[in-house]
Amino acid sequence: MTIDHGVRFIETVGAELAERFRDDRIDIVATAATLGIPLAVEVSRALGLDDYLVLQKSRKVHLKDALRATLTSITSHGKQELMLDRARLDAVRGRRVLFVDDVISTGSSAVAALDLLHSAGGDVVGAGFLLQEEDAGADEVQARGVRLVTLGRISLREL
């Protein structure tokens, strides 16, 4: 969703998500590669933060020892992994983390990200999404005690 709109759109929705989490004292914003990256940048900027964290999905040389979480996404074929570079553990450990992404549907990607951030020692206090497709994914996030904010809803049946 983020690649289909201009820079001003991402800046605007990033600021709107940030405003919804302003009182949560966020230390770092995290996202999953790739479509969540522009959103993480703008939410971080709007919160006055100078760092953000990307959970990678493709294997890279520097990620051979990464923390990993397996997931199945409805937008990709087969199993995937989210990876957190061990060199970035201090960015998460003991810090208040906000996870953001473009869309939540089944919740598989979001739950894998939340679990990975938690296993790295992060205190995940919120999850923000531009759009929500299904209730099941949102329920899975909230079942982990994470406050969920979505800016809109879409139906897979309408696509």
Side-chain angles (χ1 to χ4, degrees), residues 103-111 114 126-129 131-154:
V103 177
I104 183 168
S105 188
T106 65
S108 177
S109 298
V111 165
L114 298 178
F129 302 88
L131 297 171
Q132 178 181 337
E133 289 181 330
E134 297 179 15
D135 290 333
D139 294 345
E140 288 292 321
V141 168
Q142 292 170 324
R144 283 169 167 68
V146 174
R147 186 164 72 89
L148 177 87
V149 171
T150 59
L151 299 182
R153 291 183 66 96
I154 58 174

Side-chain angles (χ1 to χ4, degrees), residues 11 14 67 72 75 85 110 114 138 148 159:
E11 180 181 18
L67 294 181
T72 304
T75 59
D85 187 350
L114 298 178
L148 177 87
L159 297 179

Side-chain angles (χ1 to χ4, degrees), residues 67-100:
L67 294 181
R68 298 169 190 274
T70 303
L71 65 105
T72 304
S73 170
I74 65 168
T75 59
S76 302
H77 296 290
K79 294 212 181 277
Q80 293 181 303
E81 282 187 313
L82 284 180
M83 293 166 271
L84 173 57
D85 187 350
R86 288 185 187 273
R88 296 287 286 156
L89 286 176
D90 285 341
V92 177
R93 189 179 300 120
R95 302 188 76 200
R96 296 175 64 81
V97 181
L98 170 62
F99 178 76
V100 300

Side-chain angles (χ1 to χ4, degrees), residues 18-75:
E19 190 56 36
R20 305 273 184 99
F21 290 99
R22 184 142 331 266
D23 294 336
D24 291 298
R25 301 179 330 275
I26 304 299
D27 294 315
I28 192 159
V29 175
T31 192
T34 305
L35 297 178
I37 295 172
L39 185 59
V41 169
E42 293 303 332
V43 171
S44 297
R45 184 188 328 261
L47 289 172
L49 303 173
D50 191 38
D51 192 14
Y52 64 96
L53 179 72
V54 177
L55 303 174
Q56 299 292 332
K57 289 183 182 174
S58 59
R59 296 174 189 251
K60 296 178 176 48
V61 172
H62 72 281
L63 294 173
K64 65 183 174 187
D65 188 35
L67 294 181
R68 298 169 190 274
T70 303
L71 65 105
T72 304
S73 170
I74 65 168
T75 59

